[in-house]
Structure formats: C-alpha cells, structure tokens
C-alpha cells in the first residue's frame, strides 16, 4: 500500500504488452492493478474503458511498445486519452521499452524521426510524465516537453556480471554506438575496454571493419540496449573469434526484441550467456537455456513509488 500523494491515489493500469511485469510491479507496491477493459472492434480498432473511478487519481499506465509495436503503441495512446477524459489527476506513461526510438535523427534525406513522433503523440494524448528504461538515445528525453524519468538497467547488469567473477575479461563495444555504455560497464567492473567498428551495409546488416583494444585470450562481455535481429552482436562475435578471444562470450542487453533470426544467431556455441531484462516479455519460443532474465520490476516499482510521493529518483540511476 502506498499513501496518497499530491496527485491523488496511486493507480497502476496495465496495457496488454507485458502483463507479467505489471503483476510484479503491483506486487512490489502492494497494490492491485486498476481495472481496465481492452478489447477490439470487429475491424481491429482498439476499445478501452476504465472500469473504476479515475477522477483525480495519480495514474501510471504500463505499456512497453514492443511487438506488435503499432498495436501496443495505439493501445497506450488510447488508454492515456481515456484517462485524460476521465479527469485523472496526473497521467504517467510507463514505457519500459520505448519503441520507434532508433530513428532519433535523420541519417538520410526524406527519413522520419519516429522517436520524436511518438513523443508528440503521447503528449497530445494527454501524458503528463514519462518513465522509461534505457531509451535508445538520451536525446529522446528532449523530444518531450514534459518530465521524463530515464532509468537504466546498467546497475543490474554490472552486479550480475561482477558476481560471476569472469577470468581475464574485457568489455567489448559491439559497434561505435555501444561505446558509451560499454565504457561505463568497464569502469564499473574495473575491466579494460575494446571497441569494434562496424559499417552499416543494409537496414539490418552491419559489417565489422576494425577492432581497437586487446581481446586475445580474453573473455568478452558486450552490452547493448537492444537485441533485435542479433546481427550486430553476431558480427561482433565473428570478429572476436577471429582475433583469438575466448569462445565464451557474455552479452547484456536491456530490451530483448529478439526478432527474425535472433534466436538462431544467439544459439551459437561461442555465446555463453545472454542476459536481458523483462522490459519486453521474452517469448517462450526464444527461451534458450542461456538467456538469463533479470527483472526490471523492482526498479520500475520504486521509481513509480518515488514519483508518486514526489521523492527523488536519482538514487535509482547509480
Ligand atoms: C543500434 O543502434 C542498437 O543499439 C543495436 O545495436 C541494434 O538495434 C541491434 O540490432 P540488431 O540486433 O538487429 O543488430
């Protein structure tokens, strides 16, 4: 039970993307989930009706915009719209996985910036705040004109890997986009860093071109925000093996999108463990024994509690 804050009683409403995470968060907070009916019209349009009072409540709407992305995104928008029209005191969109974030800038003429578009949609629907985990790029926070609390799974991964006490380990950035988070992991674990540079040769295809740093005879640890098709990581493993790294690679990734050939690529024997969080439910079809799921529920629940009580959440970032 959480006491009422300045915006009224705390209520957690869950979309259909990740019910298990919703259960864990409500258990942590010792609250029951708010009742909401989410169905479809015959033509597929989404219908939402909150089945309890929402007037003057501090509403948190949990929805990862994961596969099927468009369905989950529109469902979230409709839930926020319905809450606004029901006179909720404050509405926080909790998007543990914020989809469409990889287009956060134009890399070529006539491209969209979907990370910004989704921010505009959420604000237009009526969200007053956003709570997310490991946004693909920090600048997405700036796409919003409302407060964004940006949690990071880094401490979960660092604690897990530290416990393993891996011999002669090196943190490897799988591409230049992973350098910042890889350096932070290396610093936290007091390990050396190596960097692989990859060249994009297609929408989902990259080709390793160079590696900087010593990996021979070492146990590589890689950290990513997203594993989508696992093409980036698989290409990195190829380079590492060619350079004589130990065939025992550890991979950490916050969001297990695991689309297309991901499972097959991650099954390769040189990959020892794939450590992910439950911001996205890991489908049972992709339940390789080597996939370790760390729960982001305590982190999200504590952030929700603190936001509700107007307390600092910055201690959760460390
Ligand atoms: C790229 O910018 C991301 O950080 C990931 O490296 C990428 O989205 C992973 O995609 P895939 O698993 O398909 O290589």
């Amino acid at each position: 039970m959480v006491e009422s804050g300045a915006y009224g009683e705390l209520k957690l409403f869950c979309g259909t993307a990740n019910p298990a995470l919703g259960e864990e968060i409500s258990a942590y907070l010792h609250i029951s989930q708010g009742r909401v009916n989410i169905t479809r019209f015959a033509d597929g349009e989404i219908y939402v009706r909150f089945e309890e009072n929402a007037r003057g409540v501090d509403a948190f709407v949990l929805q990862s915009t994961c596969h099927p992305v468009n369905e989950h995104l529109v469902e979230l928008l409709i839930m926020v719209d319905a809450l606004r029209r029901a006179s909720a005191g404050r509405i926080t969109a909790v998007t543990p996985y914020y989809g469409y974030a990889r287009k956060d800038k134009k890399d070529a003429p006539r491209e969209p910036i979907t990370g910004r578009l989704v921010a505009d949609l959420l604000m237009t629907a009526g969200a007053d705040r956003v709570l997310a985990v490991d946004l693909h790029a920090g600048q997405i926070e700036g796409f919003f004109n409302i407060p964004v609390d940006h949690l990071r799974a880094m401490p979960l991964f660092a604690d897990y890997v530290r416990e393993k006490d891996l011999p002669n380990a090196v943190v490897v950035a799988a591409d230049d986009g992973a350098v910042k988070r890889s350096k932070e992991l290396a610093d936290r674990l007091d390990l050396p860093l190596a960097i692989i540079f990859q060249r994009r040769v297609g929408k989902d295809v990259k080709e390793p071109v160079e590696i900087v740093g010593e990996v021979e005879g070492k146990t590589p640890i890689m950290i990513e925000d997203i594993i989508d098709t696992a093409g980036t990581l698989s290409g990195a493993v190829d380079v590492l093996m060619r350079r004589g790294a130990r065939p025992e690679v550890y991979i950490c990734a916050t969001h297990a999108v695991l689309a297309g050939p991901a499972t097959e690529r991650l099954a390769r024997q040189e990959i020892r463990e794939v450590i992910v969080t439950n911001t996205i439910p890991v489908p049972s079809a992709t339940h390789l024994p080597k996939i370790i799921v760390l729960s982001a529920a305590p982190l999200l629940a504590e952030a929700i509690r603190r936001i509700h009580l107007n307390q600092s959440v910055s201690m959760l970032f460390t």
Side-chain angles (χ1 to χ4, degrees), residues 43-71:
D43 65 353
E45 286 182 359
I46 297 167
Y47 170 80
V48 169
R49 180 164 185 268
F50 289 88
E51 295 188 323
E52 59 185 78
N53 176 45
R55 189 175 291 272
V57 305
D58 194 8
F60 290 79
V61 183
L62 178 74
Q63 179 82 319
S64 274
T65 49
C66 52
H67 177 78
V69 182
N70 300 338
E71 290 286 315

Side-chain angles (χ1 to χ4, degrees), residues 14-300:
C14 298
T16 59
N18 199 340
L21 182 61
E23 293 293 330
E24 272 192 65
I25 292 174
S26 52
Y28 182 99
L29 293 170
H30 302 290
I31 58 171
S32 39
Q33 285 179 31
R35 292 192 312 280
V36 55
N37 177 25
I38 303 171
T39 54
R40 296 283 184 281
F41 289 100
D43 65 353
E45 286 182 359
I46 297 167
Y47 170 80
V48 169
R49 180 164 185 268
F50 289 88
E51 295 188 323
E52 59 185 78
N53 176 45
R55 189 175 291 272
V57 305
D58 194 8
F60 290 79
V61 183
L62 178 74
Q63 179 82 319
S64 274
T65 49
C66 52
H67 177 78
V69 182
N70 300 338
E71 290 286 315
H72 288 147
L73 173 60
V74 175
E75 192 180 289
L76 171 63
L77 295 170
I78 293 174
M79 289 176 81
V80 171
D81 178 79
L83 281 170
R84 179 170 55 90
R85 294 174 195 282
S87 307
R90 180 173 68 171
I91 305 165
T92 302
V94 184
T95 54
Y97 172 64
Y98 182 91
Y100 276 121
R102 278 174 286 179
K103 281 312 302 166
D104 56 12
K105 60 184 179 312
K106 286 178 70 169
D107 296 305
R110 300 177 295 283
E111 283 189 336
I113 303 180
T114 51
R116 169 64 197 246
L117 175 63
V118 170
D120 287 342
L121 290 170
L122 275 170
M123 289 188 290
T124 300
D128 297 301
R129 306 182 65 91
V130 171
L131 173 61
V133 183
D134 284 339
L135 291 164
H136 177 61
Q139 61 264 31
I140 289 169
E141 281 186 52
F143 292 168
F144 288 92
N145 299 322
I146 54 178
V148 177
D149 288 299
H150 184 190
L151 305 175
R152 287 146 18 96
M154 176 68 74
L156 298 178
F157 293 132
D159 288 350
Y160 180 87
V161 175
R162 190 180 295 111
E163 279 285 304
K164 297 201 88 77
D165 198 16
L166 298 170
N168 202 14
V170 57
V171 178
V172 180
D175 63 11
D176 52 338
V179 172
K180 194 169 167 215
R181 69 174 63 87
S182 303
K183 181 172 183 317
E184 182 179 347
L185 183 65
D187 289 346
R188 281 176 181 256
L189 299 176
D190 200 18
L191 291 174
L193 175 71
I195 301 170
I196 297 171
F197 292 94
Q198 304 208 32
R199 179 175 51 207
R200 190 172 284 282
V201 289
K203 190 161 62 65
D204 294 322
V205 189
K206 291 182 194 164
E207 183 181 84
V209 287
E210 187 54 85
I211 182 164
V212 175
E214 189 50 62
V215 297
E216 191 173 350
K218 292 183 186 282
T219 305
I221 305 164
M222 294 193 275
I223 183 162
E224 274 284 9
D225 58 337
I226 298 168
I227 306 180
D228 186 358
T229 64
T232 308
L233 291 164
S234 188
V237 173
D238 288 341
V239 185
L240 290 167
M241 294 305 108
R242 283 202 296 273
R243 295 296 180 102
R246 286 164 63 102
E248 291 177 12
V249 180
Y250 289 77
I251 292 170
C252 304
T254 308
H255 308 297
V257 175
L258 303 183
T263 311
E264 196 184 315
R265 285 173 172 163
L266 295 173
R268 58 189 292 179
Q269 61 179 12
E270 300 94 332
I271 299 177
R272 179 59 65 89
E273 280 188 15
V274 181
I275 306 131
V276 299
T277 79
N278 56 352
T279 56
I280 296 175
V282 179
S284 50
T286 50
H287 260 147
L288 298 168
K290 65 172 79 169
I291 295 194
I292 310 289
V293 183
L294 305 180
S295 181
L299 184 66
L300 284 159

